[in-house]
Amino acid sequence: LANLRREKGGSIVAGFGSAKCSNEEAYLFQKLIRTGFGHNNVDHCTRLCHASSVAALLENIGSGAVTATFNEIKNAECAIVIGANPVENHPVAATYFKQFAKRGGKLIVMDPRGIGLGRYATHKIQFRPGSDVAMLNAIMHVIAEEDLFDTQYVDTFTEGWEAFRAHLKDYPPERMAEFCGVNAESLRQVARDFATSPAGMIFWGMGISQHIHGTDNARCLISLALMCGHVGRPGTGLHPLRGQNNVQGASDAGLIPMFLPDYQSVTDENVRAKFGKVWGTDDIQNQAGLTVIEIMDAVHAGDVRGMYILGENPAMSDPDVGHARAALAKLDHLVVQDIFLTETANYADVILPAAAWPEKTGTVTNTNRQVQMGRPAVSPPGEAREDWWIIVEIARRLGLQWSYGHPRDVFAEMKSVMKSLDNITWDRLGHETVPYPSLSPEDPGQAIVFGDGFPTPDGRAKFTPASIIAPAETPDEDYPMILITGRQLEHWHTGSMTRRTTILDALEPEANCSLHPRTLRSLGASPGEIIRLSTRRGSINLMARADRAISEDCVFVPFAFTEASANLLTNAALDPFGKIPEFKFSAARIETI
């Protein structure tokens, strides 16, 4: 890596970090790329899950974190869960959602698929894939036209309402019903129930974010909460459900190309000066770096020749994964640091054996903004080492004068540049978990934020109108179906851990896809048969399942199976704001074999 830096310049080397590592490791990794190679080409998996949600939250309320913890639903009267399948992907949160519904709370479940949480729903809205903006604008149209919005809240805490209200006039439910496949009366009832509830929450997942209009989807949800005054009070809030154990913390720690830790812009001279003083450098680049997908494109263009990948598996997780695998094969030098020989590690020149989570010390920040301490329960096997230790040793060999002797040293430096960690100390985390912000050394942490304004220049949130945008590709005669990808309960993410777990792999041993029974009959296929699924990027063969929860024009595929990688098929088209790929919508066709 040092030779590449010397011969070609630091920007020739890029880095992918991990949301499965600790806050301290995420912080060190982004610091290594920025100070060791002199650029901001460092990213991690938030680019592939909630980048568009964070972009919309930062734009409209000034913060990328959740405004309320998921257990705050205990104080809500109404809750929307949209584009998420918590029963399979967020089982802990799903328990709170079920309890909420059982005690009489109005649960509104909105998804293109029929999901398990729908059994507990007051309203179950199964809308057409890609029609989120049309549906949400129609709901907000009803609230605006029937004067159900919270006038006092809108006047006190928001800006841009009148222009936004004028925008909504073009989206009556009767007209939007044809776009989203939901009857107008259902949309009106959902609007009335949410707007008239004393306290309402909105939860969303990657079904909202993984579209080229993902930022627009999130803008709509933010606007819906703002117009009803459902932010900053008990039982209210906006909560994009994070999937991996430290997506929130890794993002907070600066493992993204356009922000330094705590979402401080790399283009701000004062911010760079502050970090430069702490890091002992005056050479922090003033331009946003490349994202995950852009780095792979840069490899093909010859602008990136070396990579350091920590705990990520882009050979399985990237969209159009054939393109990503070709990029990994093209690199002059690839270093992969992981706990298993992943699909990505198969392309590596050097593999550095890391410690798994139960084998190391460090903090993580979960979807609730809770900072938590982890301690080793067992020792790492063989020559495996904790990730922070490996990063520090590489930094020293690259010429950086790092002297960290323990993760607590890294945490102390993080506190000096991250206001979010005020009043949260290493010793305190030794005996309690603390959601940030914590307002004093004794404050247990704030479950709800923004009750008295927002972290924007004028303290106000803003409404941002969103118009209907078609998916990057739409079904046609050659590819008449819609491919939706996601996780299933038994296998997590790319399967690099769960498929090595004997019991879980025995429960779900085979690559599969789900189709409506009528779709299977129209193909002349039976459940359990192997079918061929194709998009414009490739084909895979996998087992077909009958599932009445899937619409007849859709097919759902889990992406954990390397022998039939769903991401060989997915579309790498990007949301222009969050730079997130459109995983949740690809035109597809199915053939019997």
Side-chain angles (χ1 to χ4, degrees), residues 23 31 62 80 83 133 169 193 213 244 253 280 316 366 401 428 455 457 464 505 545 554 566 582:
N23 289 323
K31 181 179 176 181
I80 292 173
V133 170
K169 288 185 179 296
D193 281 356
H213 50 82
Q244 299 199 40
M316 281 289 287
N366 73 2
Q401 303 302 308
R428 186 179 178 187
T464 301
D505 202 49
R545 276 185 173 153
C554 294
E582 187 154 63

Side-chain angles (χ1 to χ4, degrees), residues 3-19:
N3 287 340
L4 281 172
R5 180 182 63 180
R6 184 180 64 253
E7 295 167 5
K8 306 285 187 180
S11 63
I12 207 73
V13 177
F16 285 177
S18 176

